[in-house]
């Protein structure tokens, strides 16, 4: 038993209208966050590298939905350059989708840093 508690007595839990209002606000925020996450999932962004030699489209789920490579940049003797261009375009696409997600979730959270949102 906790200090200061007696057998048969229950610790009072704060209740009342204040907690109900907070609960409603949290539920509304949760609905807004779910809507924002659905909106983010539908977003797409396109990034390029090498002056457009490589173009990558990424969706809100961080999946590559399109990859275009200019034939002129495909050189069997310089595979490393092509790899670098692909990585640069993919990384930029991921940064862009992260910025979109942060912006959308920021609208809901009002800039609060809520753990677990990955922002």
């Amino acid at each position: 038993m906790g200090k200061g508690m007696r057998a048969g007595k229950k610790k009072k839990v704060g209740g009342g209208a204040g907690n109900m209002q907070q609960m409603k606000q949290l539920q509304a925020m949760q609905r807004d966050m779910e809507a924002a996450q659905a909106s983010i999932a539908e977003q797409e962004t396109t990034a390029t590298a090498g002056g457009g030699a490589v173009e990558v489209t990424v969706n809100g789920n961080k999946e590559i939905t399109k990859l275009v490579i200019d034939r002129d940049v495909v050189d069997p003797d310089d595979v490393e350059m092509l790899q670098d261009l692909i990585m640069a375009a993919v990384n930029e696409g991921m940064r862009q989708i992260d910025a979109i997600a942060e912006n959308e979730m920021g609208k809901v959270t009002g800039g609060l840093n809520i753990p677990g949102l990955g922002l």
Side-chain angles (χ1 to χ4, degrees):
M1 225 178 283
K3 189 174 183 179
M5 293 186 71
R6 296 184 190 164
K9 295 241 178 179
K10 291 186 178 179
K11 187 176 178 181
K12 287 187 179 180
V13 177
N19 282 346
M20 285 299 288
Q21 183 62 29
Q22 285 178 336
M23 184 62 94
K24 287 181 182 180
Q25 288 174 338
L26 287 173
Q27 288 172 339
M29 181 183 274
Q30 183 177 9
R31 282 190 302 274
D32 292 345
M33 287 175 66
E34 289 170 356
Q37 288 170 336
S39 173
I40 292 166
E42 294 175 1
Q43 301 278 338
E44 278 194 342
T45 187
T46 300
T48 62
V54 174
E55 181 180 292
V56 175
T57 302
V58 180
N59 69 18
N61 292 324
K62 294 186 177 181
E63 299 167 332
I64 297 172
T65 59
K66 184 177 178 184
L67 173 63
V68 178
I69 300 172
D70 186 327
R71 289 187 179 277
D72 294 337
V73 82
V74 179
D75 180 357
D77 295 328
D78 194 3
V79 174
E80 291 82 14
M81 180 190 67
L82 180 56
Q83 292 168 338
D84 289 344
L85 291 173
I86 292 170
M87 283 190 299
V90 169
N91 288 334
E92 179 57 26
M94 295 298 177
R95 276 191 289 278
Q96 289 176 10
I97 210 69
D98 283 343
I100 290 169
E102 187 173 330
N103 182 47
E104 290 295 316
M105 294 306 282
K107 291 176 187 176
V108 174
T109 64
L112 296 175
N113 186 11
I114 300 175
L117 291 182
L119 301 178

